[in-house]
Amino acid sequence: MRRETMVYVGLDVHKEFCQACVIDRSGRVISNERFSSTQEELDEFLDQFKNAKFVLESTGIWEFIYEGIENRGFEAVLAHPLKVRAIAEARVKTDKVDAETLAQLLRADLIPRSWVPSKDMRDLRQLVRQRAYLVRQSTSLKNRMHAELLRRGVRRPDGMLKPFSQKHIAWMRSLNIPTVGSCLNCLESVQAQIEELNTTLLDEFHRRPDAQLIATIPGIGYYSALLIHAEIDDISRFPNPEKLSAYSGLVPTVSQSASSVHYGGVSKEGSAYLRWILTEAVYSHIRFNPDSRLSKFHARIARRRGKQKATSATARKLAHIIYWMLVRREQYQSHGSNPRRETCTI
C-alpha cells in the first residue's frame, strides 16, 4: 500500500543492506526497517511511496541507490558524512539511530549536501579512475619483478638501458623464472587494457571543451586534463579559487589557541585524485616550462621551505590558475595576468 502523504526517508547504506527510517511531517517514526542492498529489494521498498524525500550519505555504494530513487521521480539528497556527524553526533550509534538522524535532519532541512555529478560525469570519473588503477597495477608488477630479480642476484645486462622495453622483456622471459614470467603475462594484460582505455579517453577528451582548455597548460596531457575536469565537474559550484583548493585538500591545516596560530601540512580532505594529479602536473610543468611564473614560484618557495612544501604550494597555485581559466574561458598564460581585468591569474 502506497503512502499518500509526504514522508521523509533516511537511508543508512551498507554493502549488504540499507537501514531505512521513515518519518512523517511531525517527525514521528513510521517505520525503521532493513532491506538488502540490491536493485530488486530497492524497487520493492520504493513501491510503497508516492510522496517522499530521501537522504543518504555519500559513502560506499551510494550511486545505484541514488539513481534508483531519482529514476522513480523522487527527490534525493546526498549528505556529506563528515558534516552530518559534526551536526548530530549521537552518544548511542546504531544503524537505526543513524537512519533516523538522517531523516530528522532532512525534515528540518539541515542536511549538509554533497555535490552530485551528472550521470555523464560519474561515468567519466569511473573511466579516468580505472586508468589510474591500472597504471598503479602496472607499476606494482614492474616493482615486483625488479625485486624478484634482485633477490636472485640477477642484474640487467650492460647496454639494455630502457627498462621494460621489448628487448628487456625478451631477456627476462629467457631467464625462465616462473614468478617473473607470471608477472610479465599479467603486465601485458594490464597494458593492453590501458591502451584500450586510452582510445576511449582520447575520444572523451575531444568532446569536452573544459578538458581541452586545461590541457593548454604545459605538462598537462589529455588524460590529466580529463581527470582534473572530471573531479572538478562544474566550476561554478566553487564560489572562489580557495574553495577549489580546499576541495583538492591542498590548503594548510590551522590550529589556533588564544593568540598562538600554528599552520600544519595540507588538509588532504576532498578529492584525493585531484590532489594527486595536480601534484603530478606540477612536476611535469616545471620540466616542460621551467621559465613560467609558476615554475619560478616553485623554485622560490623551494629555496626557503624545501621542495615538498614548494610542490604543495605550487599545486595549490595551479588549482587557482585552473579555476580562473575555466571561469574566464581563457587558455593558459605563462606570463600571468590579473583576474580583476577579467583574465586568469598565476
Side-chain angles (χ1 to χ4, degrees):
M1 180 178 178
R2 285 194 171 189
R3 295 186 173 94
E4 299 289 335
T5 58
M6 173 60 71
V7 294
Y8 302 89
V9 184
L11 294 174
D12 188 27
V13 180
H14 299 270
K15 293 180 180 179
E16 301 298 329
F17 66 89
C18 293
Q19 187 71 40
C21 179
V22 183
I23 64 174
D24 60 19
R25 289 180 181 274
S26 65
R28 180 178 63 88
V29 176
I30 299 173
S31 66
N32 202 331
E33 60 189 87
R34 179 178 293 190
F35 62 89
S36 296
S37 298
T38 63
Q39 189 64 57
E40 293 75 20
E41 294 214 12
L42 174 63
D43 289 337
E44 185 178 339
F45 175 74
L46 294 176
D47 284 341
Q48 62 183 299
F49 301 104
K50 185 174 182 180
N51 295 313
K53 291 183 179 180
F54 295 80
V55 60
L56 62 156
E57 291 182 341
S58 60
T59 56
I61 57 170
W62 69 268
E63 287 192 40
F64 98 90
I65 302 288
Y66 186 93
E67 289 175 5
I69 296 169
E70 206 174 39
N71 292 339
R72 290 294 194 94
F74 296 117
E75 180 182 345
V77 176
L78 192 64
H80 192 295
L82 295 178
K83 293 180 180 179
V84 166
R85 283 197 288 273
I87 293 174
E89 184 65 50
R91 188 177 294 273
V92 178
K93 183 171 171 37
T94 66
D95 297 328
K96 286 188 174 183
V97 169
D98 287 348
E100 183 180 350
T101 298
L102 286 171
Q104 296 291 359
L105 289 174
L106 178 64
R107 182 181 70 89
D109 195 24
L110 292 175
I111 291 290
R113 303 189 178 210
S114 287
W115 175 261
V116 182
S118 66
K119 181 66 167 61
D120 174 63
M121 193 59 69
R122 293 201 297 269
D123 290 342
L124 177 62
R125 281 187 179 184
Q126 291 306 311
L127 285 175
V128 294
R129 290 177 179 184
Q130 177 66 9
R131 185 186 182 278
Y133 167 78
L134 291 173
V135 170
R136 285 196 297 269
Q137 292 298 107
S138 174
T139 302
S140 176
L141 287 166
K142 291 177 180 179
N143 291 339
R144 188 176 181 85
M145 283 183 276
H146 181 66
E148 181 67 11
L149 293 177
L150 287 177
R151 188 179 70 84
R152 293 169 177 265
V154 179
R155 297 291 186 271
R156 194 165 67 247
D158 294 338
M160 196 178 292
L161 299 178
K162 188 175 181 181
F164 296 96
S165 62
Q166 290 185 355
K167 185 178 179 181
H168 184 213
I169 290 174
W171 169 75
M172 284 193 292
R173 286 199 180 278
S174 71
L175 298 174
N176 293 320
I177 300 174
T179 51
V180 173
S182 174
C183 286
L184 283 171
N185 293 337
C186 293
L187 180 63
E188 288 180 358
S189 175
V190 169
Q191 289 181 333
Q193 293 177 61
I194 292 173
E195 289 301 317
E196 183 178 345
L197 204 49
N198 284 345
T199 301
T200 302
L201 290 173
L202 190 57
D203 291 338
E204 290 287 341
F205 174 76
H206 287 147
R207 71 182 188 88
R208 297 181 184 272
D210 279 7
Q212 294 171 34
L213 200 61
I214 295 169
T216 63
I217 300 174
I220 294 184
Y222 77 90
Y223 170 71
S224 298
L226 269 179
L227 180 52
I228 293 169
H229 168 55
E231 294 300 318
I232 291 176
D233 195 4
D234 184 358
I235 193 62
S236 66
R237 71 188 179 104
F238 300 103
N240 55 60
E242 278 301 325
K243 293 294 184 182
L244 177 58
S245 296
Y247 176 69
S248 307
L250 290 168
V251 295
T253 56
V254 181
S255 176
Q256 183 173 7
S257 177
S259 60
S260 176
V261 180
H262 173 71
Y263 293 93
V266 295
S267 69
K268 295 187 178 181
E269 295 181 357
S271 172
Y273 285 95
L274 184 56
R275 182 169 61 257
W276 164 69
I277 201 64
L278 287 174
T279 302
E280 292 297 314
V282 167
Y283 295 131
S284 297
H285 179 86
I286 293 170
R287 187 168 64 253
F288 283 100
N289 197 357
D291 296 325
S292 73
R293 286 185 64 182
L294 190 64
S295 297
K296 291 177 180 178
F297 172 83
H298 180 274
R300 188 166 64 251
I301 300 298
R303 284 194 298 269
R304 291 190 291 112
R305 307 189 65 187
K307 288 186 178 180
Q308 184 175 356
K309 290 185 177 180
T311 300
S312 295
T314 309
R316 183 164 64 251
K317 184 74 72 173
L318 181 58
H320 284 221
I321 292 171
I322 292 171
Y323 176 88
W324 288 114
M325 286 172 62
L326 294 175
V327 167
R328 306 297 182 182
R329 311 305 305 168
E330 291 186 352
Q331 294 189 1
Y332 173 74
Q333 301 176 39
S334 62
H335 59 277
S337 54
N338 190 342
R340 295 176 182 176
R341 297 176 183 173
E342 302 186 348
T343 54
C344 69
T345 186
I346 291 181

